[in-house]
Amino acid sequence: MTPLALTALIFFLMLGLMALRAPIAVSMFVAGSAGYLLQAGWGPYSSFLNTQAFARFASYDLSVIPLFILMGHFASQGGISKALFEFASVVMGRFRGGLAMAAVLASGAFGAICGSSIATAATITTVALPEMRRHGYSPRLATGTLAAGGTLGILIPPSVPLLIYAILAEQNIAKLFAAAMVPGIIAMVGYMIAIAIYVRLFPGHAPERDVIPGRITGRLVLGVLPIGVIFAIVFGGIYGGLFSPTEGAAVGAASTLVAALAKRELDWAKFKHCFYQTAQASAMIFLIFIGADLMNSALALTQIPAQLATLVKAMGLSPLLVVTAILLLYGALGCIMDELSILLLTIPIFFPMIIGLDFGMPRESVAIWFGIMVLMTVGFGLLSPPVGLNVYVVNGMAGNVPIGESYRGVLPFLASDALRTLVLLLFPSISLWLVKYVG
């Protein structure tokens, strides 16, 4: 069998298993195993399995993933989201579509201590959806806003996909977090602008004027103060050189636990739930790691990825054109796969190709900028059919809203995503602006 035929077999087997609803990790593992066995035989395959799991999971850097996930679950279960939305409602309530903008603002602030898109969407939906319904927002705008706002959970640091990219590309986590700050804020502002335009073009989807819930009081400020303190401790400590990103994740989890206990909303059952959910999510991610490692090793044996990189370089294509093509592929893959699987499968293939091209920037700057571009693009999959995990989660919590309405509701936000991605693609300095201040 030719290398190209083997590569096609590996991908078709993986996609076929996914179509049969096999877990992503299993699909990658089985497809990778088939490709590896066909090329190397049982001996090398068993040796690879014997050593790869330990080599992957013995990495100290990987511990940052469950720690940030745990931090997000403490925030979700600790009642912090309600205080965030109340504060954001007072700030944005004076504008038309203000409650929808408040949901986006609360999602961005919650994402700053969460790192998970699904958790952000589900948590903010719990407190924001009843209020948006009570004030007369259409199901389309309400669910679309909350699904899109949830993506800020991975666009604004800490971000689990960005952590995985840093590990795969062997890049500095602190610098990647710094690079994601400005694009994340641009995403949040872009979503609020999209809402402002939408409610004027389609006035029936939001009240003419939201009722201002009240004024900013000491109680509201105290309610959101823990968010600012935790963010300052974690990222101030990381960028101030007091501790590493992994140690910062541990400090952040502990600080969020203290904040949740202070609000007296984290009982023993919720406390255990946080650890169970963290273990479940971490196990899922680590299993995908193993499946992706095996599949990437099988692909490496075919020599197709290396030949592809050589071909692209020999064709003399514009580096910007190559990145654009890769990002379009990410957008297509996002319709059938989750963002973590996409990163684990493709970064080992595309990253060496990108680093080998001349963008007129240092290699580290190219690696960081490409990571931000990938992060911006994989967010499309969280909103796009037929997967659209954020849309499914919010729609399920909304009850009797047709899924088609929710997908129509995210269209303005997808347009905002596309515009933001184009700007960041053409102007890498936006993503790299804060990086120069990180030692």
Side-chain angles (χ1 to χ4, degrees):
M1 190 178 294
T2 65
L4 187 59
L6 266 172
T7 301
L9 173 65
I10 292 170
F11 276 106
F12 281 129
L13 182 56
M14 180 193 72
L15 294 174
L17 289 170
M18 288 171 55
L20 295 174
R21 298 187 179 276
I24 295 290
V26 173
S27 301
M28 287 183 172
F29 186 88
V30 172
S33 295
Y36 207 107
L37 285 168
L38 286 172
Q39 296 176 88
W42 176 257
Y45 172 76
S46 59
S47 177
F48 176 86
L49 291 181
N50 186 43
T51 58
Q52 182 61 25
F54 178 79
R56 169 60 71 185
F57 298 145
S59 172
Y60 172 75
D61 291 338
L62 272 185
S63 59
V64 73
I65 295 176
L67 287 171
F68 271 126
I69 292 175
L70 180 61
M71 178 178 166
H73 282 298
F74 282 150
S76 300
Q77 299 294 323
I80 295 175
S81 57
K82 183 178 180 182
L84 276 175
F85 183 69
E86 288 178 353
F87 182 84
S89 298
V90 174
V91 173
M92 306 304 300
R94 68 196 74 238
F95 301 107
R96 190 171 176 183
L99 276 183
M101 295 180 189
V104 170
L105 188 61
S107 296
F110 189 79
I113 60 169
C114 180
S116 166
S117 177
I118 301 298
T120 300
T123 304
I124 301 300
T125 296
T126 302
V127 296
L129 185 59
E131 285 297 306
M132 295 175 74
R133 279 176 164 169
R134 189 167 67 85
H135 283 78
Y137 281 78
S138 71
R140 178 188 299 183
L141 179 58
T143 55
T145 297
L146 293 166
T151 62
L152 296 172
I154 62 169
L155 299 183
I156 295 177
S159 166
V160 172
L162 204 56
L163 289 171
I164 291 176
Y165 175 84
I167 293 168
L168 292 174
E170 298 181 352
Q171 296 300 309
N172 185 290
I173 293 175
K175 290 184 178 181
L176 280 165
F177 279 175
M181 290 285 188
V182 174
I185 293 172
I186 292 174
M188 184 170 61
V189 174
Y191 284 167
M192 289 192 281
I193 292 174
I195 292 169
I197 295 173
Y198 186 82
V199 297
R200 283 162 176 78
L201 293 177
F202 305 98
H205 291 273
E208 288 295 321
R209 187 175 182 84
D210 284 337
V211 178
I212 300 175
R215 59 188 181 85
I216 297 177
T217 63
R219 181 186 68 82
L220 288 176
V221 173
L222 286 175
V224 299
L225 187 60
I227 299 290
V229 172
I230 293 169
F231 190 85
I233 290 175
V234 174
F235 291 98
I238 291 174
Y239 296 125
L242 296 178
F243 37 71
S244 68
T246 304
E247 293 164 344
V251 171
S255 301
T256 310
L257 173 61
V258 171
L261 291 174
K263 284 185 169 292
R264 299 183 179 180
E265 293 198 24
L266 188 68
D267 55 25
W268 178 243
K270 290 181 177 179
F271 180 77
K272 291 191 296 182
H273 177 78
C274 290
F275 280 93
Y276 290 152
Q277 291 298 307
T278 299
Q280 186 178 49
S282 300
M284 180 269 293
I285 292 172
F286 291 163
L287 282 175
I288 294 176
F289 259 115
I290 287 295
D293 283 344
L294 184 55
M295 188 162 175
N296 285 318
S297 296
L299 291 173
L301 289 175
T302 67
Q303 298 295 314
I304 291 295
Q307 292 174 17
L308 180 62
T310 303
L311 177 63
V312 168
K313 197 168 182 178
M315 290 174 67
L317 297 175
S318 164
L320 202 60
L321 182 62
V322 175
V323 173
T324 302
I326 291 174
L327 295 181
L328 290 174
L329 177 60
Y330 276 126
L333 288 175
C335 294
I336 57 173
M337 297 174 68
D338 65 87
E339 70 274 15
L340 300 183
S341 303
I342 294 172
L343 290 175
L344 289 165
L345 177 62
T346 61
I347 293 302
I349 297 173
F350 291 142
F351 182 75
M353 182 191 307
I354 293 299
I355 289 298
L357 299 175
D358 182 15
F359 290 88
M361 297 186 291
R363 289 167 63 94
E364 184 185 47
S365 297
V366 172
I368 292 172
W369 169 68
F370 181 65
I372 300 304
M373 294 308 306
V374 170
L375 181 69
M376 296 293 116
T377 309
V378 296
F380 278 82
L382 295 167
L383 302 178
S384 304
V387 178
L389 291 177
N390 274 23
V391 180
Y392 273 104
V393 168
V394 173
N395 183 267
M397 296 178 70
N400 58 353
V401 179
I403 189 69
E405 280 292 286
S406 296
Y407 276 123
R408 281 188 281 272
V410 300
L411 290 178
F413 304 101
L414 286 173
S416 175
D417 285 343
L419 179 61
R420 181 185 70 250
T421 303
L422 179 62
V423 170
L424 294 175
L425 177 66
L426 297 176
F427 302 99
S429 58
I430 296 175
S431 300
L432 300 172
W433 177 63
L434 279 178
V435 177
K436 59 186 177 182
Y437 298 107
V438 179

